[in-house]
């Protein structure tokens, strides 16, 4: 999928979410003016749920943008993580080689706990080792350290 398609799909999802929020808000207004406690409670739910959903979308878009920014910085520094080992037919690292590679990046992050670059590489190693939950947590840590490094 090309970058243009991803942007187009993302824009369509954001527009659809905003349209839903506008429709939901207009329905909530009708319920609010009814002065019935049950309908007012429903109106509050109609307003709060889309706002939470929109906040989650914005959070994920921000996460993706920040991850891309960090990756571009590492690419410019020629410091992207490297993988040494065999690949499966689908192109993913083999589990055994990914685990060996992971040890190297885990040690680097442990030795340089305040370096966003080490945490970024660790996140990629977690992903190669098929541990998405820890990969995202490590990338969030990298992002937090990256933002701190920009402000210092």
């Amino acid at each position: 999928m090309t970058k243009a398609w991803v942007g187009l799909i993302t824009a369509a999802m954001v527009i659809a979410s905003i349209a839903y929020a506008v429709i939901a808000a207009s329905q909530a207004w009708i319920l609010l003016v009814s002065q019935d406690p049950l309908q007012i409670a429903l109106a509050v739910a109609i307003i709060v749920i889309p706002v939470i959903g929109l906040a989650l979308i914005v959070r994920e878009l921000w996460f993706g943008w920040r991850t891309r920014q960090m990756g571009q910085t590492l690419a410019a520094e020629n410091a992207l993580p490297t993988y040494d080992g065999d690949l499966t037919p689908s192109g993913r690292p083999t589990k055994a080689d990914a685990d060996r590679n992971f040890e190297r990046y885990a040690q680097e992050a442990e030795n340089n706990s305040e370096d966003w670059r080490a945490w970024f590489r660790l996140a990629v190693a977690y992903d190669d080792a098929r541990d998405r939950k820890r990969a995202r947590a490590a990338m969030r840590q990298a992002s937090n350290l990256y933002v701190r490094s920009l402000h210092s």
Side-chain angles (χ1 to χ4, degrees), residues 18-84:
I18 291 170
Y20 174 78
V22 168
I23 292 168
S26 69
Q27 294 301 309
W29 178 255
I30 292 169
L31 294 172
L32 280 173
V33 297
S34 72
Q35 298 182 1
D36 177 22
L38 185 60
Q39 289 183 347
I40 291 171
L42 183 59
V44 170
I46 287 173
I47 293 169
V48 169
I49 290 170
V51 168
I52 291 171
L54 195 57
L56 291 173
I57 290 170
V58 168
R59 178 180 177 233
E60 287 306 306
L61 288 172
W62 185 254
F63 177 72
W65 180 79
R66 180 69 72 199
T67 300
R68 179 176 161 265
Q69 191 177 32
M70 290 185 298
Q72 287 176 333
T73 300
L74 285 177
E77 295 172 351
N78 200 23
L80 285 170
T82 58
Y83 174 74
D84 300 321

Side-chain angles (χ1 to χ4, degrees), residues 2-141:
T2 65
K3 191 175 180 180
W5 275 109
V6 171
L8 185 63
I9 291 169
T10 302
M13 289 175 62
V14 169
I15 290 168
S17 296
I18 291 170
Y20 174 78
V22 168
I23 292 168
S26 69
Q27 294 301 309
W29 178 255
I30 292 169
L31 294 172
L32 280 173
V33 297
S34 72
Q35 298 182 1
D36 177 22
L38 185 60
Q39 289 183 347
I40 291 171
L42 183 59
V44 170
I46 287 173
I47 293 169
V48 169
I49 290 170
V51 168
I52 291 171
L54 195 57
L56 291 173
I57 290 170
V58 168
R59 178 180 177 233
E60 287 306 306
L61 288 172
W62 185 254
F63 177 72
W65 180 79
R66 180 69 72 199
T67 300
R68 179 176 161 265
Q69 191 177 32
M70 290 185 298
Q72 287 176 333
T73 300
L74 285 177
E77 295 172 351
N78 200 23
L80 285 170
T82 58
Y83 174 74
D84 300 321
D86 295 328
L87 299 176
T88 64
S90 66
R92 289 197 53 103
T94 61
K95 182 75 170 128
D97 288 340
D99 289 344
R100 267 194 308 280
N101 209 36
F102 169 80
E103 293 301 324
R104 177 177 71 182
Y105 291 118
Q107 187 65 42
E108 178 189 3
E110 187 177 315
N111 293 339
N112 304 303
S113 61
E114 295 299 313
D115 182 12
W116 68 266
R117 292 165 181 84
W119 281 96
F120 184 99
R121 289 187 283 267
L122 178 61
V124 173
Y126 269 126
D127 189 59
D128 287 346
R130 296 166 180 79
D131 189 345
R132 277 284 156 83
K133 185 177 180 181
R134 287 190 176 116
R136 287 183 67 81
M139 193 59 79
R140 289 205 188 281
Q141 176 66 13

